[in-house]
Amino acid sequence: EDQERLREWLPENNLVAFIAEDSILPRASGIDDRPLDNNTIPFKTPDSLAYEVELPNAGVIKGMGIKEGITLIVGGGYHGKSTLLGALESGVYNHIPRDGREKVVSLDRAVKIRSEDGRVVSNLDITPFINNLPLAKDTSSFYTENASGSTSQAANIVEALHTGCELLFIDEDTSATNFMIRDQRMKKLVSDEKEPITPLIEKIRELYVNHKVSTVIVIGGSGDYFEIADQIIMMDSYKPRD
């Protein structure tokens, strides 16, 4: 009941996710979804991102709210970026007691997006991201039995939008680099008319403004995304900073 109420409360406050104070986010291992039971650091909320909500059973609780729009999760390696994203991804589900993430919730229409080299794409319009292919290959009804990293990630986003998705989760580590960014030096060498891939950084604002699809991205290597972010959360020794 408390978790369902939290999800109802999110859009009422223009939020896409919430992490309660003192939640335990790390898991025992990559193949063991039980909470890590030693040397864990309970989640602490920065004052500037704190929200309070009254739940039917737990009463008033405090935690960190993630606003609609574009949110970056940044920080050094092994400081908790992907752990936080993993908890948010699982926030579409209700958790059992003592899971540690019982009061970590996300909008239920959320989808994790990643590159999937070799996947099949069947008659999908991927022109917003892939267009003007050599030999005039059509991308308005694109078909392949062996998609590249960038093409598969574009297809995954388009398919998510078809399902009515309202929130995308993306981790730079599992993304195709050429789908995420194309810097100015590369643009000088390879002009736009010779590059069929429109990177996500050029479409991500449009996704929110025109389609109300928010995005939470873990970024460790590209500061270009700072320019289009609505908020940036830095994980510092497993503690979030605004």
Side-chain angles (χ1 to χ4, degrees):
E1 289 176 346
D2 284 350
Q3 292 173 83
E4 294 292 347
R5 173 58 193 137
L6 268 174
R7 278 192 204 87
E8 293 172 357
W9 172 82
L10 290 175
E12 296 170 6
N13 291 270
N14 300 316
L15 299 176
V16 296
F18 176 85
I19 305 99
E21 188 86 346
D22 294 325
S23 293
I24 301 298
L25 305 187
R27 300 295 93 188
S29 74
I31 57 172
D32 188 342
D33 206 40
R34 291 175 296 181
L36 187 66
D37 59 3
N38 55 10
N39 297 321
T40 56
I41 298 174
F43 188 85
K44 296 300 177 186
T45 304
D47 290 341
S48 57
L49 301 178
Y51 288 79
E52 287 189 347
V53 53
E54 185 171 0
L55 303 178
N57 299 288
V60 177
I61 66 168
K62 174 186 175 183
M64 184 178 81
I66 296 182
K67 295 179 289 189
E68 295 176 351
I70 301 164
T71 299
L72 305 187
I73 302 174
V74 304
Y78 299 96
H79 278 252
K81 303 187 302 295
S82 294
T83 298
L84 174 56
L85 187 70
L88 294 173
E89 292 169 24
S90 71
V92 299
Y93 304 113
N94 292 332
H95 295 298
I96 62 173
R98 295 183 296 280
D99 174 271
R101 304 167 298 181
E102 298 95 320
K103 296 179 179 66
V104 178
V105 298
S106 302
L107 294 178
D108 54 8
R109 290 189 175 185
V111 178
K112 169 68 181 293
I113 298 295
R114 60 171 296 154
S115 168
E116 290 184 285
D117 295 55
R119 66 153 287 188
V120 174
V121 178
S122 298
N123 304 320
L124 194 67
D125 184 359
I126 58 172
T127 54
F129 296 105
I130 314 287
N131 210 345
N132 299 322
L133 289 178
L135 305 179
K137 186 170 182 179
D138 181 28
T139 58
S140 64
S141 184
F142 187 78
Y143 175 83
T144 180
E145 294 182 353
N146 186 22
S148 67
S150 56
T151 303
S152 64
Q153 198 158 354
N156 286 338
I157 290 180
V158 172
E159 288 172 342
L161 295 178
H162 280 308
T163 71
C165 172
E166 298 176 344
L167 175 61
L168 301 175
F169 294 120
I170 299 174
D171 194 329
E172 183 184 60
D173 280 353
T174 54
S175 296
T177 301
N178 61 340
F179 181 77
M180 298 294 288
I181 57 169
R182 197 157 73 92
D183 65 24
Q184 293 303 315
R185 296 178 73 186
M186 188 60 71
K187 286 183 177 181
K188 288 181 180 179
L189 180 64
V190 182
S191 61
D192 287 347
E193 58 268 20
K194 294 180 180 179
E195 174 53 74
I197 301 171
T198 301
L200 179 64
I201 194 169
E202 297 181 15
K203 290 289 187 178
I204 195 169
R205 173 59 56 187
E206 182 182 334
L207 280 173
Y208 177 61
V209 173
N210 294 345
H211 303 285
K212 287 301 178 184
V213 177
S214 298
T215 311
V216 177
I217 313 182
V218 167
I219 290 287
S222 175
D224 290 354
Y225 274 86
F226 293 161
E227 305 302 324
I228 49 87
D230 294 303
Q231 64 179 351
I232 301 171
I233 298 167
M234 185 170 81
M235 297 302 293
D236 184 357
S237 297
Y238 305 102
K239 296 179 182 177
R241 295 174 55 188
D242 182 358

